């Protein structure tokens, strides 16, 4: 056990002490991470860059009948699952609470009720075992996933999820500068809306990806966002698919559903890949990483791999399980962030959007 977790005795009354400043965890600190920002209940045990366990309990089936995530249903399900998911993460890592040096948790952004379940759980574990707590920004988590693959900063990271699409230049740890962001929809949203138009089930991105694998990406040509745009734009694409489908007879749509999915996906992928390569060149960065649920997309992974190889860039592609929401990425980010000493985190609140609070920067 390292210094951060030493000297605690569960159950004893808290001694009076002066407020201490946040500290950086020691190298290789064993962290229990919790992530409940949307509809996946997840816990992981991470030591430095080593993911010892990662458990994700998906709520997909629960929300499928509503065609999307119902926030209140998600929070209630998190409440039911979180203790078992934490226990499973510890068991798979062969660890007990006594082996932990810290607890990390997604503080925001996300669904506020869902976040609060994870935060309350993390506080309870940390407080009971007198451990420090590391609040993590969800996007810093996505950007940190590639540390499990050994990436070294500085690097460029494409973060593409259901709520965000941005390119960030990671300077050090999880301290980043936003290089480009979406001007309208997120890439995941474009996948989900396209999937709905194509009559696919929920969650849409994964279904569209699977269908596209059997289709011809050259079947229909959907608009590409203007090259001069620095950011991403996907809303026109979704409208183009809507009009394309309206212009075809139902049996033609039926016959060419996979071709339409492949063509639509190709348009999203091309924009993501082009912008990423252009930003790497502009920023002078030779390492490229990805994160977020859309980074699980097969078309994106293949195209990005080929284009990075051709451009001589080192690409870090975390496995899909580290791209879609998971607690391991939160534990990986925690190594670079300030840890609040016990019990100074008890008043900590979750935040639903960045308008409420800015991402935390590296520890002093
Ligand atoms: O990062 P994530 O799991 O949650 C958020 O932070 O939003 O991303 C979820 C998004 C959804 O829009 C989902 O449809 C999309 O990622 N997604 C995919 C794939 N897997 C998940 N999109 C395209 N292809 C996939 N294989
Ligand atoms: Zn996410």
């Amino acid at each position: 056990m390292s210094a951060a977790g030493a000297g605690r005795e569960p159950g004893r009354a808290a001694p009076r002490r002066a407020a201490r400043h946040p500290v950086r965890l020691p190298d290789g600190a064993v962290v229990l991470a919790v992530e409940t920002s949307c509809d996946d209940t997840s816990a992981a045990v991470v030591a430095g860059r080593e993911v010892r366990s990662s458990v994700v309990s998906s709520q997909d089936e629960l929300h499928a009948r509503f065609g999307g995530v119902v926030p209140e249903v998600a929070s209630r399900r998190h409440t039911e699952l979180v203790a078992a998911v934490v226990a499973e993460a510890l068991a798979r890592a062969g660890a007990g609470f006594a082996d932990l040096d810290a607890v990390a948790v997604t503080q925001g952004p996300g669904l506020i009720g869902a976040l609060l379940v994870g935060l309350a759980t993390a506080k309870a574990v940390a407080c009971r075992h007198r451990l420090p707590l590391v609040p993590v920004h969800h996007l810093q988590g996505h950007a940190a996933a590639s540390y499990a693959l050994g990436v070294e900063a500085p690097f460029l990271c494409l973060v593409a999820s259901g709520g965000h699409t941005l390119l960030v230049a990671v300077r050090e740890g999880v301290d980043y500068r936003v290089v480009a962001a979406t001007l309208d929809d997120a890439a995941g949203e474009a996948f989900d809306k396209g999937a709905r138009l194509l009559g696919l089930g929920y969650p849409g991105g994964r279904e569209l990806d699977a269908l596209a694998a059997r289709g011809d990406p050259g079947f229909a040509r959907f608009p590409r966002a203007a090259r001069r745009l620095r950011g991403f734009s996907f809303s026109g694409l979704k409208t183009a698919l809507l009009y394309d489908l309206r212009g075809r007879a139902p049996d033609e749509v039926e016959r060419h559903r996979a071709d339409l999915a492949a063509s639509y996906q190709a348009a999203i992928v091309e924009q993501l890949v082009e912008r990423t390569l252009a930003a790497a060149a502009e920023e002078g960065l030779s390492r490229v990483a990805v994160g977020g649920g859309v980074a699980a997309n097969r078309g994106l992974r293949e195209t990005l791999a080929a284009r990075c190889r051709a451009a001589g860039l080192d690409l870090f592609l975390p496995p899909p399980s580290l791209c879609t929401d998971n607690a391991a990425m939160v534990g990986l980010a925690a190594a670079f962030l300030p840890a609040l000493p016990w019990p100074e985190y008890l008043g900590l609140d979750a935040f639903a959007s960045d308008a409420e609070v800015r991402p935390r920067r590296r520890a002093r």
Side-chain angles (χ1 to χ4, degrees):
M1 184 191 301
S2 53
R8 59 184 186 271
E9 269 183 71
R12 287 263 183 94
R16 284 175 179 275
R17 62 173 77 181
R20 288 179 290 155
H21 289 298
V23 290
R24 265 277 288 272
L25 297 175
D27 285 348
V30 180
V31 176
L32 170 72
V34 179
E35 148 65 52
T36 61
S37 64
C38 191
D39 61 338
D40 290 313
T41 317
S42 179
V45 176
V46 178
R49 293 179 179 209
E50 183 200 344
V51 178
R52 295 199 175 159
S53 69
S54 178
V55 178
V56 180
S57 178
S58 165
Q59 299 184 10
D60 284 351
E61 275 178 33
L62 190 64
H63 299 281
R65 74 185 114 136
F66 305 111
V69 179
V70 182
E72 187 52 31
V73 173
S75 327
R76 288 177 194 210
R77 195 77 179 125
H78 284 311
T79 311
E80 289 165 5
L81 292 172
V82 72
V85 169
V86 165
E88 183 67 20
L90 287 169
R92 286 192 200 173
F97 288 117
D99 299 309
L100 301 175
D101 295 314
V103 179
V105 63
T106 305
Q107 188 188 8
L111 302 173
I112 194 67
L115 287 161
L116 285 170
V117 177
L119 185 60
T121 304
K123 280 185 194 175
V125 172
C127 191
R128 169 68 178 81
H129 299 279
R130 300 202 179 182
L131 295 167
L133 184 101
V134 188
V136 177
H137 188 282
H138 186 72
L139 296 185
Q140 287 183 314
H142 278 310
S146 294
Y147 281 116
L149 276 61
V151 71
E152 293 293 342
F155 62 93
L156 181 77
C157 189
L158 168 68
V159 180
S161 69
H164 299 84
T165 298
L166 59 161
L167 279 162
V168 297
V170 180
R171 286 180 278 228
E172 192 192 332
V174 285
D175 181 17
Y176 61 66
R177 179 171 51 81
V178 176
V179 172
T182 184
L183 304 171
D184 39 59
D185 291 352
E189 219 175 330
F191 270 108
D192 294 337
K193 287 176 178 172
R196 192 170 299 181
L197 290 172
L198 286 165
L200 305 177
Y202 170 86
R206 211 172 50 205
E207 295 240 342
L208 200 150
D209 186 2
L211 184 62
R214 295 188 267 119
D216 169 15
F219 176 74
R221 176 140 183 105
F222 291 111
R224 272 59 175 160
R227 278 179 183 232
R228 62 186 158 71
L229 280 184
R230 267 190 73 88
F232 299 94
S233 172
F234 297 105
S235 65
L237 182 58
K238 170 196 66 193
T239 312
L241 176 62
L242 175 71
Y243 284 111
D244 181 287
L245 292 171
R246 278 188 190 163
R248 294 179 195 273
D251 66 318
E252 191 192 357
V253 172
E254 195 49 51
R255 261 185 293 120
H256 290 289
R257 206 178 293 278
D259 298 326
L260 288 161
S263 304
Y264 183 75
Q265 175 170 296
I268 300 176
V269 166
E270 189 179 311
Q271 192 184 146
L272 292 172
V273 171
E274 264 200 16
R275 297 276 194 277
T276 303
L277 267 84
E282 276 168 33
E283 296 290 321
L285 293 168
S286 62
R287 287 182 285 268
V288 173
V290 295
V294 174
N297 183 266
R298 269 175 286 183
L300 175 65
R301 297 170 77 87
E302 282 165 18
T303 310
L304 201 54
R307 294 285 299 277
C308 284
R309 206 177 308 119
L313 299 169
D314 287 331
L315 176 64
F316 294 82
L317 271 182
S321 58
L322 276 179
C323 294
T324 49
D325 284 350
N326 68 89
M329 67 185 197
V330 174
L332 290 163
F336 304 103
L337 290 166
L340 299 171
W342 171 83
E344 288 167 22
Y345 41 78
L346 288 178
L348 202 67
D349 211 351
F351 60 90
S353 80
D354 282 318
E356 295 163 58
V357 70
R358 301 184 76 82
R360 287 178 157 270
R361 289 291 164 90
R362 61 176 177 259
R364 279 173 283 276

